[in-house]
Amino acid sequence: MAEIPNPETVSKTVHELILSGEELPEKYIYKGSDAGALDASLPFMHVPVIDMSLLTSPSSSAEQLHKLCSALTHWGCFQMINHGMSTQFLEQVREATKQFFALSPEIKNKYKREDGSIEGYGNDMNISEHQTLDWTDRLYITVSPQDRRQLKFWPENPADFRDVLHEYTMKVEDVSKVVFKAMARSLNLEENIFLDMYGEDATLFARFNFYPPCPRPDQVIGVKPHADGSAITILLQDKQVEGLQFMKDGQWYRAPIIPEALLINAGDQIEILSNGIFKSPLHRVVTNSERERISVAVFCIPNSEKEIEPVDGVDDETRPRLYKRVKDYVSIYFQYYQLGRRPIEGAII
């Protein structure tokens, strides 16, 4: 019978583990099929850079829409520039993130997630003695709709954290609407068709990620390979330290850093809505032994009461319907993730 690990070791954040001086627990040793290539030198991915200001311009939108469709069908992601956020503001978001994670464990643990919940500060939910833990500490917060915000998880230190996050949320919501409309137009569909399925009362989750330097980057992973359960995910990368990688045709590629860009990837729910035309890509985060890394991901998720299925116009005789109707997709997502499985498998007809 498998030995259940010491719960204290499991419940510690990575920061606490480092401060304790303990040896690296076995639970962090990654044994996935791609474990042998965690610290390999990989090629960069070549994904299009989309200019949001041109997406809505009649004279130049056709070219941008073609680039967008190509990016989402081949890679499942793209980099977005001219998105309405200044480099100074993006730096504020990054700085607030760094300052929070630099606080003592005692202060950060005021925002610690409760058992059985993903919201708050901590590391992986431990749902199985067989799962591998990610080398990352996270702050997971519901940011929209505003009436669902649990302010007990919103840090008051640094002092501007709440204001910066609120402003970032408003701006990301604007970006997401432009992206959903552009996705539809790129497939010659009515521009609101994805937005209508996504819903007015959709949920936005923000996840602040901190990856401390890791003593064994060849054996420990920052985030296990997975695809997102969102419709789309909008990521602000660390402006200096790499780590994010995407898989294409069985090969891992490094995501390049463009400091002023947002990296946007399709999630499982837009793959379902587009009947598999847009790909929800497998991605992972690797660690390094020298430099800490941060990132901020916002997951745009349809209302859990909405039924998601391929929209009109994405299936025909040559491309039959691939996915059945699903509801509250995210509720099963985290169990699948920790076990290394893809929940979208359950939505295939």
Side-chain angles (χ1 to χ4, degrees), residues 37-150:
L38 290 184
D39 59 347
S41 179
L42 298 173
F44 278 115
M45 58 197 288
H46 297 288
V47 296
V49 176
I50 306 293
D51 187 330
M52 191 172 108
S53 67
L54 300 179
L55 272 179
T56 52
S57 164
S59 60
S60 52
S61 64
E63 180 191 350
Q64 294 294 310
L65 290 172
H66 176 75
K67 283 171 65 177
L68 177 69
C69 189
S70 175
L72 291 170
T73 53
H74 291 97
W75 286 98
C77 62
F78 59 94
Q79 304 257 24
M80 176 83 90
I81 59 171
N82 291 328
H83 38 60
M85 290 180 244
S86 68
T87 53
Q88 292 88 348
F89 178 66
L90 294 181
E91 194 51 35
Q92 268 187 284
V93 178
R94 290 187 181 105
E95 195 55 36
T97 304
K98 288 177 182 175
Q99 288 178 19
F100 171 76
F101 285 115
L103 296 171
S104 69
E106 292 74 24
I107 295 175
K108 287 184 290 194
N109 282 336
K110 292 178 183 176
Y111 308 101
K112 196 161 189 174
R113 67 170 178 80
E114 295 154 359
D115 287 347
S117 169
I118 61 167
E119 191 146 3
Y121 169 69
N123 55 2
D124 281 347
M125 289 174 69
N126 189 43
I127 63 169
S128 162
E129 66 262 37
H130 303 296
Q131 81 189 64
T132 302
L133 296 181
D134 294 338
W135 189 261
T136 180
D137 292 336
R138 307 178 174 113
L139 176 65
Y140 212 116
I141 302 175
T142 303
V143 293
S144 184
Q146 291 190 39
D147 62 5
R148 288 191 214 151
R149 292 177 176 179
Q150 296 193 65

Side-chain angles (χ1 to χ4, degrees), residues 34-42 216-220 245 284 286-288:
D34 54 337
L38 290 184
D39 59 347
S41 179
L42 298 173
R216 295 301 306 266
D218 59 325
Q219 291 189 323
V220 176
Q245 300 178 350
R284 68 182 187 181
V286 296
T287 59
N288 77 83

